[in-house]
Amino acid sequence: MRRLVLGSTSRYRAELLRRLVPTFEQRAPGTDETLRPGEAPAEGALRLAMAKAEGAARGWPDALVIGSDQIAELDGDALGKPGSAEGARVQLASCAGREVRFHTALCLLDTRDGRRRTHVDTTGVRFRPLAEAEIARYVEREQPLDCAGSFKCEGLGIALFERIDSSDPTALVGLPLIALARMLREAGLAVP
C-alpha cells in the first residue's frame, strides 16, 4: 500500500480520513493561510489546499498527500477562524438569519509524478435567527474558536441552522470524503 499523508494537523480532518483509511501519516504543511488581496474565497481555498499538499509532501518521494482548506464566505467576504470567544460571538451574530457559503477545497498530490487531483465543494448554510444570549451560551459551551464560521456542525452547532445545502455533508466538517474517496480510487488506493 502506498504511503498516505494528511497535510493537516486538524483533528477534525484526521477523524474524517479515518472513516476511509485506517492508517496514514499526519504532517503540518507549514502553509501561510492568508488570502491574497482580491482573492475570491473559493479560489483561495483551492490555492491553499494545493499549497498544503505541496508543503506536506516534502521528503515523501512515493506518497499520496492530501491537502484541504475551508473558507467561509458571507456576502462575498471571507470569514476566518475567530480565535477568541468575542470574535466567535461577533461572527455568529453577523451570520444570524443569513446564508453563509463554505468552500472546502481538496487536493490529492501524487509525489511520484506530481499529478494533482483537485475538487472544491460549496455548502450553503442558512443560520436561523439567533439571540445574543444563545450565541453566548453556544460559544461558552462549545468553544468553536478554531472553526471557520464559529461553529462545529458535528456538535451542538447543528442547532444554529435552519438548513444545510450540500452534495457532501463531510465537506462542512472540513474534508469532502465523497470526492476524496473517488480521488484515492483513481490513484490506485483501494477504498471500499
Side-chain angles (χ1 to χ4, degrees), residues 68-151:
S68 186
D69 192 75
Q70 182 180 78
I71 297 177
E73 175 185 356
L74 178 63
D75 297 334
D77 295 324
L79 298 175
K81 297 174 184 175
S84 70
E86 176 61 24
R89 288 190 296 272
V90 168
Q91 202 171 75
L92 286 170
S94 70
C95 295
R98 304 175 72 197
E99 182 168 296
V100 178
R101 296 171 60 84
F102 290 83
H103 305 286
T104 308
L106 175 63
C107 176
L108 181 66
L109 173 64
D110 188 330
T111 62
R112 285 191 303 200
D113 59 12
R115 180 174 179 187
R116 286 188 241 160
R117 292 172 172 86
T118 61
H119 173 79
V120 178
D121 180 279
T122 298
T123 300
V125 174
R126 170 63 68 175
F127 282 78
R128 64 182 179 77
L130 301 168
E132 187 177 317
E134 64 186 329
I135 290 171
R137 281 192 307 272
Y138 171 74
V139 170
E140 182 179 332
R141 182 170 169 190
E142 195 140 79
Q143 297 291 309
L145 311 183
D146 62 345
C147 301
S150 299
F151 69 87

Side-chain angles (χ1 to χ4, degrees), residues 1-5 21 62-66 107-118 178-191:
M1 184 169 141
R2 301 224 13 229
R3 183 177 304 262
L4 186 63
V5 179
V21 294
D62 186 23
L64 294 170
V65 184
I66 300 163
C107 176
L108 181 66
L109 173 64
D110 188 330
T111 62
R112 285 191 303 200
D113 59 12
R115 180 174 179 187
R116 286 188 241 160
R117 292 172 172 86
T118 61
I178 293 171
L180 180 58
R182 183 191 74 246
M183 291 176 179
L184 291 171
R185 286 190 302 269
E186 289 171 356
L189 194 67
V191 178

